[in-house]
Amino acid sequence: MAETTLALPGRTTRRVRIVTSATIVVTVALAVLVVPPLAQLDQQAVDLANKLDPPSWAHPFGTDDVGRDLLLRCVYGLRVSLLVGLVAALTATVIGTAIGALAGAFGGWTDRVVMRVVDALSSVPHLLLGIFIVAMFRPGVWPVIVSVALTHWLSTARIVRSEVLSLRSRPFIDAAVSGGASRTRVIVRHLLPGVLPQAGLAAVLMVPHAMWHESALSFLGLGLPAHQASLGNLVQSARGSLLAGDWWPTLFPGLFLIIPTLALAGLAGAWRDRINPRRKSELML
Amino acid sequence: MLELTRITAGYDRRDPVVRDVSLHVAAGEAVGLLGPSGCGKSTLARVAALLHRPDAGTMTLDGTVIRGWRHRAPREQRTAVGVVFQQPRLSADPRLSLRELIAQPLRSTGRRREVPGRVAELAQLVGLSEELLERRPHAVSDGQLQRACLARALVLEPRLLICDEMTAMLDASTTAALVAVVERYRSESGAALLAVGHDRVLLERWCDRTVRWGERNAGPAERERVAAG
């Protein structure tokens, strides 16, 4: 069959990767969406008699240093981390797309000034910049989102700008200008739809990154307040017990951070592979 | 109608493609601009279409001196000139159906209500069926797409039509059909035409007069010939 002869090496591997990633992402999404409202369990319930219990049937992930169920804490933590990751990535993409599109579409001085600002901001380590931003507010979910969003739009702005620059010189933009289209119309109707796949991909790739960032801030004690379960907080509070040989309070939140973010990145990678052939066919024109 | 005086234009100020060129197109006149590839005729056409700002020289359109190009030109000036480009594939937004492609200029200028009527009228003029109008650029041939691009250029009834190598990628019958459409539009509206190309036989038969352009960086004699044309 034609399809089998055309099949590229690694196609099965790719399919396995996509299916695995999708399964994990769906399971995790269901878990964080469905479990908390249905379970009616208190993730804060302290049970000092059972503190630091190893994994068992009653507590599959064990309990932490004040006897809270770790599975429940992990699900709640992942819920917060995912929320922060999604909102921050979306906000960063919107900011980056808007700024990149403006710089690319206007060109000239606007482009030069905007891109030099982007370069200047990129030269500061973004975790450091993020720490400065969260430090200005009381700990909570929103300062973390703002901090991650404000430090992560730079790469999207660069991608969108370069895409807009390449689109801008195409004759169909000339045709639109000649047809009386205003600047806004050219950007909104012709340039932005063209960069949407790239911007969307950048957004999805940014979700795991934003989650890691949130966890890093929380681990440093600058993110969410200590009573709120987030993966970073869980790992942070488990540090003491790890030294005493109790591995489960560190391992499970760590896995909860690594596995879903890898799955998300896997899906984004598959999307990128889908976008690429389109570009190859464009080159053939 | 169109008066280009001592235009110097290009993409690098130190090495302009068009140097000190003058060109005149009278109202209702059809002028063919001939020349080998790379000599700058497309650049001059882009200047005349208000799409590329020249480095020096003046341009007047209907007696008005042009002060700005692209978005700096008032909408009425930009839409007074219709342009058909060489490569229909690149000059059509891949996301739009041919119907939307033709309707774009009407939508851009706030004449949404005229869309169904005008698009049907022009589709008939250029010979595009209802079924083709629903397709996107990737699903039609170059010739069909160029027909849609010509319809798009005519939809706002320009007083000057610029065809930049409009037929260079097309077969003889499509070329004849498109030229016939342009000529029918011109006889009805009295619009002027600037046809750019390297097909001497076609342009000499199509246009009232042709201007021949030599190699790039032509000597003074060549320049004067263009100026005299």
Side-chain angles (χ1 to χ4, degrees):
Chain A
M1 269 173 57
E3 207 178 324
T4 41
T5 49
L6 280 175
L8 299 165
R11 188 165 176 160
T12 327
T13 328
R14 254 199 334 257
R15 235 175 234 165
V16 168
R17 198 177 78 187
I18 295 174
V19 171
T20 320
S21 304
T23 317
I24 293 172
V25 169
V26 169
T27 316
V28 162
L30 278 178
V32 300
L33 285 176
V34 173
V35 171
L38 285 187
Q40 304 277 322
L41 296 168
D42 186 6
Q43 52 132 343
Q44 309 273 30
V46 172
D47 180 5
L48 288 171
N50 285 319
K51 67 174 185 170
L52 287 172
D53 270 1
S56 63
W57 283 112
H59 302 287
F61 285 9
T63 58
D64 70 1
D65 52 356
V66 287
R68 291 177 293 198
D69 180 60
L70 266 172
L71 175 58
L72 206 56
R73 294 279 288 169
C74 281
V75 170
Y76 273 88
L78 186 60
R79 188 178 153 101
V80 171
S81 294
L82 255 181
L83 173 82
V84 172
L86 284 173
V87 177
L90 195 71
T91 317
T93 308
V94 170
I95 300 175
T97 307
I99 292 180
L102 280 182
F106 278 81
W109 275 105
T110 321
D111 183 29
R112 259 171 264 172
V113 171
V114 169
M115 292 327 283
R116 286 307 80 75
V117 171
V118 169
D119 288 344
L121 284 175
S122 313
S123 67
V124 185
H126 62 296
L127 185 59
L128 198 63
L129 204 61
I131 289 173
F132 270 119
I133 296 171
V134 280
M136 289 192 285
F137 302 94
R138 288 174 58 151
V141 174
W142 286 107
V144 175
I145 290 178
V146 169
S147 149
V148 176
L150 285 183
T151 48
H152 285 73
W153 57 271
L154 304 162
S155 56
T156 313
R158 283 208 179 111
I159 296 169
V160 167
R161 169 185 172 266
S162 66
E163 286 287 325
V164 164
L165 275 183
S166 91
L167 281 178
R168 193 173 76 127
S169 58
R170 307 254 178 108
F172 75 81
I173 300 298
D174 284 347
V177 175
S178 172
S182 63
R183 267 201 177 104
T184 321
R185 195 184 164 85
V186 168
I187 295 176
V188 174
R189 287 296 167 89
H190 299 288
L191 294 175
L192 279 185
V195 300
L196 229 50
Q198 268 72 25
L201 176 62
V204 179
L205 278 170
M206 207 185 293
V207 173
H209 190 100
M211 287 171 68
W212 280 89
H213 219 80
E214 180 276 325
S215 302
L217 286 174
S218 295
F219 182 76
L220 292 172
L222 291 158
L224 300 179
H227 66 274
Q228 214 163 4
S230 101
L231 296 174
N233 276 349
L234 291 178
V235 178
Q236 150 77 5
S237 59
R239 264 190 326 160
S241 41
L242 182 65
L243 291 177
D246 303 326
W247 47 271
W248 55 94
T250 310
L251 178 74
F252 291 113
L255 286 180
F256 256 56
L257 182 59
I258 292 167
I259 294 173
T261 49
L262 277 184
L264 268 174
L267 276 188
W271 183 3
R272 187 174 45 205
D273 290 345
R274 269 189 71 84
I275 289 181
N276 268 337
R278 188 180 69 87
R279 288 184 149 178
K280 271 179 210 150
S281 71
E282 264 183 8
L283 283 178
M284 272 156 48
L285 286 178
Chain B
M1 172 72 222
L2 169 70
E3 186 85 61
L4 292 164
T5 316
R6 307 199 62 180
I7 296 286
T8 297
Y11 308 89
D12 177 359
R13 267 182 180 277
R14 284 159 297 179
D15 185 21
V17 187
V18 176
R19 281 172 203 261
D20 213 8
V21 169
S22 301
L23 185 71
H24 172 74
V25 181
E29 189 187 24
V31 175
L33 183 57
L34 274 168
S37 65
C39 73
K41 39 186 205 312
S42 285
T43 305
L44 192 66
R46 280 170 56 80
V47 171
L50 298 175
L51 290 173
H52 185 88
R53 188 167 59 88
D55 298 333
T58 53
M59 168 174 167
T60 60
L61 194 63
D62 283 333
T64 318
V65 176
I66 301 299
R67 307 236 171 259
W69 273 260
R70 291 188 83 84
H71 283 114
R72 288 171 198 271
R75 181 176 280 166
E76 304 77 59
Q77 281 177 1
R78 273 186 274 151
T79 54
V81 185
V83 197
V84 186
F85 298 93
Q86 177 176 5
Q87 290 168 306
R89 288 280 150 220
L90 299 180
S91 60
D93 190 328
R95 271 171 307 278
L96 302 177
S97 66
L98 297 199
R99 182 186 299 286
E100 276 308 304
L101 195 72
I102 300 173
Q104 277 305 305
L106 289 173
R107 294 191 190 280
S108 301
T109 49
R111 291 160 62 180
R112 194 168 299 239
R113 256 183 263 151
E114 301 169 41
V115 167
R118 282 294 283 158
V119 172
E121 196 181 314
L122 279 156
Q124 209 204 345
L125 182 73
V126 299
L128 285 174
S129 66
E130 276 293 313
E131 190 260 326
L132 280 174
L133 285 180
E134 298 309 323
R135 295 205 206 164
R136 294 193 186 196
H138 68 87
V140 300
S141 73
D142 274 0
Q144 289 161 339
L145 194 52
Q146 192 66 304
R147 284 170 194 262
C149 289
L150 176 59
R152 174 179 62 184
L154 296 179
V155 74
L156 293 178
E157 297 180 318
R159 296 193 295 282
L160 169 67
L161 186 64
I162 297 180
C163 299
D164 181 9
E165 304 255 23
M166 176 177 76
T167 59
M169 299 184 75
L170 307 175
D171 62 60
S173 68
T174 314
T175 301
L178 287 182
V179 169
V181 170
V182 170
E183 281 313 297
R184 191 161 149 208
Y185 170 73
R186 292 207 320 118
S187 67
E188 282 167 9
S189 65
L193 169 74
L194 176 63
V196 178
H198 53 254
D199 185 346
R200 191 173 55 82
V201 181
L202 172 73
L203 289 190
E204 279 176 357
R205 289 194 57 159
W206 181 9
C207 302
D208 300 329
R209 67 189 169 86
T210 56
V211 177
R212 213 160 305 162
W213 196 333
E215 290 295 329
R216 190 177 167 190
N217 302 329
E222 289 281 358
R223 251 188 262 145
E224 262 167 48
R225 200 148 78 199
V226 173

